[in-house]
Amino acid sequence: MVGSEALAALRAELGEPVLLTDPDSTARFAHDDAEWAPCGKPLAVVRARSTADVAAAVRICAEHGVPVVPRGAGTGLSGGANAVDGCVVISLEGMDEILEINPREQLAVVQPGVVNDHLRAACRERGAWYPPDPASSPWSTIGGNVATNAGGVCCVKYGVTRDYVLGVEAVVGSGEVVRLGRRTAKGVAGYDLCGLFVGSEGTLGVVTEVTVKLLPGLRAPERTVVGYFDSLTDAGAAVANVAAAGVVPSALELLDQHCLRAVDDWKNMGLSAEADVLLLGRSDSPGQAGEQEVDALLECFERAGATWSARSTDEQEADALFAARRLAYPALERLGPVLTEDVCVPRAEVPEMLGRIEAAAQRHDTQIANIAHAGDGNLHPLIITPPGDDAARERAQAAFDDIVADAIALGGTVTGEHGVGLLKRKGLHAELSPTVVGMHHALKEALDPAGIFNPGKVFGTP
Amino acid sequence: MVGSEALAALRAELGEPVLLTDPDSTARFAHDDAEWAPCGKPLAVVRARSTADVAAAVRICAEHGVPVVPRGAGTGLSGGANAVDGCVVISLEGMDEILEINPREQLAVVQPGVVNDHLRAACRERGAWYPPDPASSPWSTIGGNVATNAGGVCCVKYGVTRDYVLGVEAVVGSGEVVRLGRRTAKGVAGYDLCGLFVGSEGTLGVVTEVTVKLLPGLRAPERTVVGYFDSLTDAGAAVANVAAAGVVPSALELLDQHCLRAVDDWKNMGLSAEADVLLLGRSDSPGQAGEQEVDALLECFERAGATWSARSTDEQEADALFAARRLAYPALERLGPVLTEDVCVPRAEVPEMLGRIEAAAQRHDTQIANIAHAGDGNLHPLIITPPGDDAARERAQAAFDDIVADAIALGGTVTGEHGVGLLKRKGLHAELSPTVVGMHHALKEALDPAGIFNPGKVFGTP
């Protein structure tokens, strides 16, 4: 009833090509890439073309008390963009224009549907660099990156999405359009509402434009260091060595045997024959400083017991290894539903945490592959179950819960860069005190009095 | 009545050496360094020794509806720490312990009363670097830096306080102690409440501990470039040239004739005879990259019409010039009450904004000295009036208002790094839309339902 009135209003305001209501058409917008997260049936999908479309949809939803679920490319790994029953999904995919690239002011202004790699390529053409590079960068959108405060490979040196968001335009409340943040290098006029929206996973409003900070100049060429290890804990020790040595690489990625084999099976790269665990380090410091960093990385790898380590002299080979890292997730997805972890622990605890992940896999008789932004302490154990095996799913869930508990016990967090969405809500409640969760509820009610924006996500009851 | 009950409770809980009530003793805690900002008479001052002291004071104040005004060293320039009538000032000066310096995890944990320079020196001893360096660094506290999201000289390359705050402990609500943020490199579990507290100027709670990010290693030595200019707009053009060239200096500071003369009159440095406007640039990039940046800075200075420019070959001389920059504010304060501006404009607008500041000085027949973190577009026109000259004060206020309006008109902000406090409230209401101001009120009411934390500051009615 509420639904049909809201639908009529949406139809009158936005018209058919923008509004999808046929279940076959809306299904594709109901789920992100978190295969394990539940999802509901949307009432409709609004394929927004403009801020005005978003504002109209939000106004109508607020009037009728209909939930609003914003969505980019749907590459999220926590279910944050999953539909709830009877909601209106607002797809921002079509709002994909780069509005401004301004190297002098070191900023770009984009619509939320711009794909990360497209922005980075456009900046490169103008002699500037947008660093955040999630593994999903060929597909994920800046709006989605903002919603989850996405990280990536170079974040170990250059920081995460929040460090690059200067301002947003957003539709809030019952359809008001606001500008938060700034275009200047600094600014402290009022609360950092822009920063608050980054990582809020669509629970406070719908971001319709993003102003990001750029670094001037092209990115410096990188040197690559490769290390092979016999065990996860040896590789973890190498990571801890790097932190203790005070070296800040421009990448420090880990792939284990499961990942290497999955990539080999798919792309025939011949990686798994060579190493049990692969560490990929990079330095982009120019000149002598870069040489010293490479030497230091090699020394850290060797001291941890690398079976082989070397500076890559072949740029194509180095790029292929990083391409393998990027392909690891889709390669593993081919084997069965993947339950993705995203814990982040203090750097010194990386070996201990990797050991606990192995123990959890054994304890629960489940297969866990490890990819990691190891230099950040941000680990992605990926729990793989054979399709349709319910007992395996239960064991996987038990391993997942253990890993979350271990990360918290080691002073870590349940999510480093993927967001809480639906899958990490239990973890969030374990990580944050009830008073802090209460602050979340109070803040959400203050900024979303109609309670329409992505309800139940992040800090809702699991 | 309310006051006397609250006082009795505070006395019973905290005792005399912690609690000051004698007006002669409390007066020193009633005002920060913003000479033009009004201040009230505190009911009492709590010189907190611990988080427990702060929690007890907040609990009692919440019970009795007494305002709480947190305060560090009182070096603020916007009146943010000024007492309101009948409030309890909580002084954090005595909580000045450095609790942990951990180079491996690249973090330090400090009490809020730790002086910025003390932390930086202690980190240096441990081979790490805490970058934010406000001009007040010899005196201002980390707690105060967090409250205002303080900037500084190296922020043009290294960012501001918010970029280095990983976590805070704070006393909120009616005395609950919470931990916000994290100790890990990354983390997205819930809203960025830690970032929200940074720059909130004590209006959401009292910060009792701060976890800051450190950069590993000692800071690289800097090369210094000096430029003399005949006019502010020429110097401003040099700044715009630097931005257009894509050079990121580690400092780019501007001092005009008024500042140079005031420092000379005080410290006899002989600067004002040499230049009308001085630009000080620095590069800390190692090796060849640093040499190239120095060359590029010199080229930018010369192209803008520098009457003299050179790379400083004498490190002591270079340090003396930066010391002069640091002394400019106290030197000018010796001449009369200083009304401090803190506008920040897009880099390309620096010449235009400097021209408008000169025009405002002429139009209102008032003396305006200029210091600037010019590379950020963050300008500090300082309006100086003869003591006791009421007509001059009125003209100064008119110039202040014009400069704020000009900054907004050029796409800038009314405060780059000092905070809104009391002095910039009118500017904040001009800069932010009514809807955004409404979001501030809603958020404040949600997190401070008793309405006790620093009431009337930042977005209150001027």
Side-chain angles (χ1 to χ4, degrees):
Chain A
M1 190 62 189
V2 160
S4 63
E5 279 174 23
L7 267 189
L10 287 166
R11 194 167 284 125
E13 187 98 22
L14 296 168
E16 278 306 341
V18 172
L19 192 72
L20 299 178
T21 54
D22 169 46
D24 289 341
S25 313
T26 61
R28 147 171 132 67
F29 298 90
H31 208 293
D32 69 12
D33 217 16
E35 294 188 50
W36 285 58
C39 82
K41 282 198 168 47
L43 175 70
V45 173
V46 170
R47 290 184 296 177
R49 301 155 302 183
S50 64
T51 300
D53 281 353
V54 176
V58 168
R59 182 173 43 73
I60 291 165
C61 287
E63 271 168 24
H64 296 88
V66 170
V68 170
V69 177
R71 158 189 191 91
T75 61
L77 293 169
S78 299
N82 281 12
V84 298
D85 279 333
C87 76
V88 169
V89 172
I90 300 185
S91 167
L92 287 315
E93 266 181 313
M95 291 176 64
D96 61 353
E97 258 187 81
I98 298 175
L99 303 171
E100 178 183 358
I101 293 180
N102 189 330
R104 191 162 60 170
E105 300 300 336
Q106 298 172 26
L107 61 80
V109 183
V110 303
Q111 290 189 316
V114 169
V115 168
N116 179 298
D117 269 359
H118 295 177
L119 173 60
R120 287 146 48 80
C123 290
R124 210 175 301 128
E125 275 174 31
R126 299 290 307 278
W129 180 34
Y130 176 68
D133 57 349
S136 60
S137 66
W139 315 286
S140 65
T141 63
I142 297 298
N145 294 174
V146 167
T148 58
N149 188 20
V153 172
C154 77
C155 298
V156 62
K157 180 164 181 176
Y158 290 98
V160 294
T161 301
R162 179 176 288 119
D163 300 314
Y164 293 88
V165 178
L166 294 173
V168 296
E169 178 192 77
V171 176
V172 299
S174 48
E176 299 86 355
V177 179
V178 293
R179 292 199 159 267
L180 309 173
R182 60 188 206 276
R183 277 175 66 97
T184 49
K186 293 149 83 176
V188 291
Y191 296 143
D192 184 16
L193 296 179
C194 171
L196 183 67
F197 269 62
V198 179
S200 65
E201 304 190 38
T203 62
L204 299 176
V206 184
V207 169
T208 48
E209 191 187 287
V210 187
T211 302
V212 296
K213 183 167 95 171
L214 305 179
L215 298 186
L218 294 179
R219 183 171 194 190
E222 291 178 289
R223 298 164 172 91
T224 302
V225 175
V226 183
Y228 294 171
F229 297 85
D230 270 346
S231 74
L232 272 179
T233 41
D234 283 357
V239 171
N241 287 347
V242 171
V247 179
V248 180
S250 53
L252 187 53
E253 297 290 312
L254 178 150
L255 287 103
D256 75 1
Q257 180 67 213
H258 301 292
C259 298
L260 297 173
R261 218 178 304 128
V263 174
D264 281 346
D265 289 348
W266 190 23
K267 299 287 179 183
N268 222 345
M269 290 176 77
L271 299 165
S272 55
E274 308 205 20
D276 284 320
V277 184
L278 184 64
L279 264 191
L280 301 172
R282 276 186 157 169
S283 162
D284 65 358
S285 297
Q288 192 55 32
E291 294 296 329
Q292 284 167 2
E293 284 176 8
V294 163
D295 291 343
L297 288 174
L298 280 173
E299 203 272 324
C300 291
F301 286 13
E302 280 156 22
R303 197 151 35 85
T307 54
W308 182 80
S309 69
R311 176 178 168 160
S312 169
T313 49
D314 178 345
E315 212 174 298
Q316 274 191 313
E317 178 202 68
D319 287 345
L321 290 170
F322 274 88
R325 189 265 171 257
R326 208 169 278 274
L327 290 171
Y329 188 81
L332 289 161
E333 271 189 312
R334 296 171 69 245
L335 307 181
V338 174
L339 183 56
T340 310
E341 269 291 1
D342 175 40
V343 294
C344 188
V345 296
R347 295 173 177 91
E349 303 291 356
V350 168
E352 172 68 20
M353 189 66 217
L354 287 169
R356 292 194 186 197
I357 291 166
E358 281 195 305
Q362 280 174 15
R363 190 164 53 244
H364 298 290
D365 183 25
T366 187
Q367 192 191 350
I368 304 185
N370 278 285
I371 330 179
H373 302 308
D376 280 331
N378 187 193
L379 312 181
H380 295 310
L382 305 174
I383 313 176
I384 300 143
T385 50
D389 183 340
D390 286 347
R393 272 184 90 104
E394 270 176 44
R395 296 198 304 276
Q397 186 63 52
F400 182 94
D401 292 345
D402 283 4
I403 290 168
V404 160
D406 280 329
I408 294 174
L410 294 176
T413 175
V414 301
T415 175
E417 58 177 14
H418 291 174
V420 176
L422 294 167
L423 291 180
K424 292 290 167 59
R425 287 180 301 172
K426 210 164 86 180
L428 177 134
H429 286 273
E431 181 174 335
L432 304 182
S433 73
T435 309
V436 173
V437 173
M439 291 168 76
H440 280 73
H441 282 286
L443 197 153
K444 163 85 167 159
E445 280 158 34
L447 297 186
D448 176 22
I452 55 171
F453 293 112
N454 219 2
K457 307 289 172 69
V458 186
F459 50 90
T461 310
Chain B
M1 191 59 189
V2 161
S4 62
E5 280 173 23
L7 267 189
L10 287 166
R11 194 166 285 123
E13 187 98 22
L14 296 168
E16 279 305 345
V18 171
L19 191 72
L20 299 177
T21 54
D22 168 46
D24 290 341
S25 312
T26 60
R28 148 171 131 66
F29 298 89
H31 208 294
D32 69 12
D33 218 17
E35 293 188 52
W36 285 56
C39 82
K41 282 197 168 48
L43 174 71
V45 174
V46 170
R47 289 183 298 178
R49 300 155 303 182
S50 65
T51 300
D53 281 354
V54 176
V58 168
R59 181 173 42 76
I60 291 165
C61 287
E63 272 168 24
H64 296 88
V66 170
V68 170
V69 178
R71 161 189 187 90
T75 60
L77 293 169
S78 299
N82 281 11
V84 298
D85 280 333
C87 76
V88 169
V89 172
I90 300 184
S91 167
L92 287 313
E93 266 181 314
M95 291 177 63
D96 61 354
E97 257 187 82
I98 297 174
L99 303 171
E100 178 183 358
I101 293 180
N102 189 331
R104 192 163 57 170
E105 300 299 336
Q106 299 172 24
L107 61 81
V109 183
V110 303
Q111 290 188 316
V114 169
V115 168
N116 179 297
D117 269 359
H118 296 176
L119 173 60
R120 286 145 49 79
C123 290
R124 210 176 299 128
E125 276 175 29
R126 300 289 307 278
W129 179 34
Y130 176 68
D133 58 347
S136 60
S137 67
W139 314 287
S140 65
T141 64
I142 298 298
N145 294 173
V146 168
T148 58
N149 188 20
V153 171
C154 77
C155 298
V156 61
K157 180 164 181 176
Y158 290 98
V160 295
T161 300
R162 179 175 289 120
D163 300 315
Y164 293 88
V165 178
L166 293 173
V168 296
E169 178 192 78
V171 177
V172 300
S174 46
E176 298 86 356
V177 179
V178 292
R179 291 199 159 269
L180 309 174
R182 60 188 205 275
R183 276 175 67 97
T184 48
K186 292 149 84 176
V188 292
Y191 295 143
D192 183 17
L193 296 178
C194 171
L196 184 67
F197 269 63
V198 179
S200 64
E201 303 189 37
T203 62
L204 299 176
V206 184
V207 170
T208 50
E209 191 187 289
V210 186
T211 301
V212 295
K213 183 168 94 172
L214 306 179
L215 299 186
L218 295 177
R219 184 173 193 188
E222 291 178 290
R223 300 165 170 89
T224 302
V225 175
V226 184
Y228 295 171
F229 296 85
D230 271 346
S231 74
L232 273 178
T233 41
D234 283 357
V239 171
N241 286 347
V242 171
V247 179
V248 180
S250 54
L252 187 53
E253 297 290 312
L254 177 150
L255 288 104
D256 75 0
Q257 180 67 213
H258 301 293
C259 299
L260 298 173
R261 218 178 301 127
V263 174
D264 281 346
D265 288 348
W266 190 24
K267 299 287 178 180
N268 221 345
M269 291 176 76
L271 298 165
S272 55
E274 308 205 19
D276 283 321
V277 184
L278 185 63
L279 264 192
L280 300 172
R282 276 185 157 169
S283 162
D284 65 358
S285 297
Q288 192 56 30
E291 294 296 327
Q292 284 167 3
E293 284 176 8
V294 162
D295 290 344
L297 288 174
L298 280 174
E299 202 272 324
C300 291
F301 287 12
E302 279 155 22
R303 196 150 38 84
T307 54
W308 183 81
S309 69
R311 177 179 167 160
S312 171
T313 50
D314 178 346
E315 212 174 299
Q316 276 191 312
E317 178 202 68
D319 287 345
L321 289 170
F322 274 87
R325 189 265 171 253
R326 210 168 276 274
L327 289 171
Y329 188 81
L332 289 162
E333 272 189 312
R334 295 172 69 245
L335 308 181
V338 174
L339 184 55
T340 310
E341 269 290 2
D342 174 40
V343 294
C344 188
V345 295
R347 294 171 177 93
E349 302 291 356
V350 168
E352 173 69 19
M353 189 66 218
L354 287 169
R356 292 195 186 196
I357 291 166
E358 281 195 303
Q362 280 174 15
R363 188 162 58 244
H364 298 290
D365 184 23
T366 187
Q367 192 190 349
I368 303 185
N370 277 285
I371 331 179
H373 302 308
D376 281 330
N378 186 196
L379 312 181
H380 295 310
L382 304 173
I383 312 177
I384 300 142
T385 50
D389 183 340
D390 285 347
R393 272 184 91 102
E394 271 177 45
R395 295 198 305 275
Q397 187 63 53
F400 181 94
D401 292 344
D402 282 5
I403 290 168
V404 160
D406 279 329
I408 294 174
L410 293 176
T413 175
V414 302
T415 175
E417 60 178 14
H418 291 173
V420 176
L422 294 167
L423 291 180
K424 293 287 167 59
R425 288 181 299 174
K426 209 164 88 180
L428 176 134
H429 287 272
E431 182 173 334
L432 304 183
S433 74
T435 309
V436 174
V437 173
M439 290 168 77
H440 279 73
H441 282 286
L443 198 153
K444 163 84 168 159
E445 279 159 36
L447 298 185
D448 176 21
I452 57 171
F453 293 112
N454 218 3
K457 306 289 172 67
V458 186
F459 49 90
T461 311

